Amino acid sequence: MNYCTNCGSKVSCRLPEGDNRFRYVCDSCHTIFYSNPKVVVGAIPVWEKKILICRRAIEPAFGKWTLPAGYLENGETLVECAVRETREEAGAQIVDLVPYTVFNIPHISQIYFIFRAEMPADIYVAGAESLEAKLVTPDEIPWSDLAFTSIREVLTMYCSDLQSEQFPFTMVDIPPHA
């Protein structure tokens, strides 16, 4: 950040009085700019015990498989975001959303919130950010071709939980280079 979005003056990185972290502060109007983690929200959409996955048409991880997920928008709830991202990336509807997993990924300043969800019909189509969308059984998940550590982790947990049909809410910290 080079310039203040309030007055256009230069900003500098310094420790504001009473704070414990360096922040960008406007040299003129003294506005403090806080940088907070991005929240990524997604779902594990399920139709008749098959999981809906998407192959990414965008970077990062172009061509890799993922669950429908994306950044939470201002003014949007977690559920609204998961529903929107599933519709945008996979052309699918989801219902009966249940919180399933939170991933803390501090080294990239992200938090992932993943729901379990049902698809009321097996209607889906690749959206603008997806090359392909498909339903897979746990045995058909392309494990070596998944886009992100968080997606591999949540799918591993989900497939394990399927065995007992118990799906506890879990919070996981993902370290760098996991």
Side-chain angles (χ1 to χ4, degrees):
M1 177 173 215
N2 294 315
Y3 299 98
C4 178
T5 57
N6 288 330
C7 73
S9 298
K10 283 210 50 87
V11 297
S12 56
C13 190
R14 61 180 183 256
L15 186 65
E17 187 177 332
D19 206 333
N20 62 359
R21 296 179 189 266
F22 281 85
R23 315 277 185 191
Y24 285 107
V25 180
C26 178
D27 295 334
S28 181
C29 73
H30 308 290
T31 299
I32 301 170
F33 295 91
Y34 297 91
S35 178
N36 300 101
K38 294 285 188 179
V39 178
V40 177
V41 183
I44 304 170
V46 176
W47 168 258
E48 294 184 356
K49 299 188 180 186
K50 291 185 177 181
I51 302 163
L52 182 64
I53 60 174
C54 306
R55 197 157 60 98
R56 292 178 59 83
I58 59 173
E59 292 294 351
F62 179 90
K64 301 286 187 177
W65 291 95
T66 188
L67 294 167
Y71 291 120
L72 179 69
E73 298 287 350
N74 290 332
E76 187 174 52
T77 68
L78 295 172
V79 168
E80 289 168 341
C81 182
V83 168
R84 176 183 54 77
E85 288 291 343
T86 301
R87 185 181 61 251
E88 288 177 359
E89 295 182 10
Q93 279 190 307
I94 53 175
V95 296
D96 301 328
L97 283 76
V98 177
Y100 184 54
T101 306
V102 170
F103 291 104
N104 295 304
I105 316 175
H107 63 279
I108 59 171
S109 300
Q110 289 185 353
I111 298 168
Y112 271 64
F113 192 101
I114 306 293
F115 290 93
R116 288 186 306 113
E118 295 294 323
M119 294 172 55
D122 72 342
I123 298 170
Y124 58 92
V125 62
E129 296 180 1
S130 300
L131 297 170
E132 182 180 355
K134 68 179 180 178
L135 288 168
V136 295
T137 65
D139 293 339
E140 297 169 329
I141 294 171
W143 294 104
S144 63
D145 212 18
L146 293 176
F148 307 109
T149 300
S150 55
I151 299 303
R152 183 181 68 245
E153 293 293 322
V154 75
L155 286 172
T156 299
M157 289 188 318
Y158 180 78
C159 291
S160 176
D161 290 345
L162 272 175
Q163 304 301 313
S164 65
E165 295 191 13
Q166 298 292 314
F167 301 93
F169 181 76
T170 308
M171 186 176 341
V172 177
D173 294 341
I174 297 181
H177 310 295

